[in-house]
Amino acid sequence: MSDQLHEMQRNIANFELQRWLNDGVFTWTWWYIFCVLVIPWCIFFKLVDRKRTHSIWLFGLMVMIITSFTDDIGSDIGIWVYPIEFFPFSLIEFPFDCSTVPVAQMLIFQYFTKWKSFSMALVLQALIFAFIGEPFSVWVDAVTYYGWTYFYSFIFYIFTGTFSKAFVSYWTPKQCSGSSRS
């Protein structure tokens, strides 16, 4: 059984590498994914409040963990696929899970410290990402959904940000997180 599994993994890895080399890397979609990876971090490093980096990074790490874990599960069970990937071998869609979503939510966490304003900004971010960003990503063939809807993404973005803020608010001193526990 282990030998069969090993052979299947090698065949899949070879298929993924060939698919990436022949149909993925340096395509228009690949450059879109590249921009989705790089531009948010350039913006973040210009805007980050260096006095609050510990709580902001903790928040961002929670968002990255949640999005990466969820993305891996969704890919494994076939709810979505990424026809073009930034790297040929990855378990997650790195640019979205580790750049766009966490950076957007880290900036919301930084600028909207009270729960009410944070929640309103988070809903706006979720609306933009779920109903504009994701349809665009589908249109440029960066992702294809099978049974997943933009509304599910909208709820997911709100849950991810809310859970991450609650986690950071609970585990960091009030002056570090910039938020209240109420």
Side-chain angles (χ1 to χ4, degrees):
M1 181 67 141
S2 293
D3 290 338
Q4 281 181 307
L5 181 57
H6 179 250
E7 185 63 28
M8 287 172 58
Q9 288 173 329
R10 287 184 48 201
N11 289 339
I12 290 170
N14 186 48
F15 171 78
E16 287 296 325
L17 178 60
Q18 292 306 313
R19 185 174 70 89
W20 186 76
L21 290 171
N22 296 331
D23 302 321
V25 69
F26 305 127
T27 62
W28 167 187
T29 302
W30 186 90
W31 284 109
Y32 165 73
I33 293 168
F34 174 80
C35 291
V36 165
L37 174 64
V38 174
I39 292 171
W41 285 113
C42 293
I43 294 168
F44 177 78
F45 287 120
K46 287 190 178 291
L47 298 177
V48 68
D49 179 356
R50 302 217 187 284
K51 295 178 205 148
R52 293 183 49 221
T53 55
H54 288 95
S55 62
I56 293 168
W57 279 109
L58 178 60
F59 176 86
L61 181 60
M62 287 304 303
V63 172
M64 285 181 210
I65 290 169
I66 294 167
T67 56
S68 298
F69 182 74
T70 305
D71 200 6
D72 191 35
I73 290 172
S75 293
D76 283 351
I77 63 175
I79 296 174
W80 50 73
V81 296
Y82 297 104
I84 306 293
E85 294 182 348
F86 187 68
F87 299 115
F89 308 112
S90 65
L91 298 175
I92 58 172
E93 187 54 30
F94 187 75
F96 297 104
D97 299 342
C98 296
S99 182
T100 309
V101 176
V103 167
Q105 291 197 354
M106 284 191 290
L107 291 173
I108 290 169
F109 178 79
Q110 173 179 306
Y111 287 111
F112 301 93
T113 57
K114 302 293 183 204
W115 271 104
K116 184 176 181 179
S117 60
F118 174 84
S119 297
M120 291 184 338
L122 190 63
V123 167
L124 181 60
Q125 178 260 324
L127 283 168
I128 292 168
F129 277 36
F131 298 110
I132 297 172
E134 289 191 20
F136 183 77
S137 292
V138 168
W139 182 72
V140 299
D141 206 27
V143 64
T144 304
Y145 291 134
Y146 297 97
W148 187 258
T149 69
Y150 302 131
F151 180 75
Y152 297 159
S153 294
F154 172 74
I155 298 300
F156 173 77
Y157 293 128
I158 293 171
F159 168 80
T160 302
T162 302
F163 178 84
S164 298
K165 181 171 173 63
F167 180 88
V168 172
S169 294
Y170 182 80
W171 286 106
T172 59
K174 196 179 223 179
Q175 66 273 16
C176 291
S177 67
S179 63
S180 62
R181 292 186 186 187
S182 58

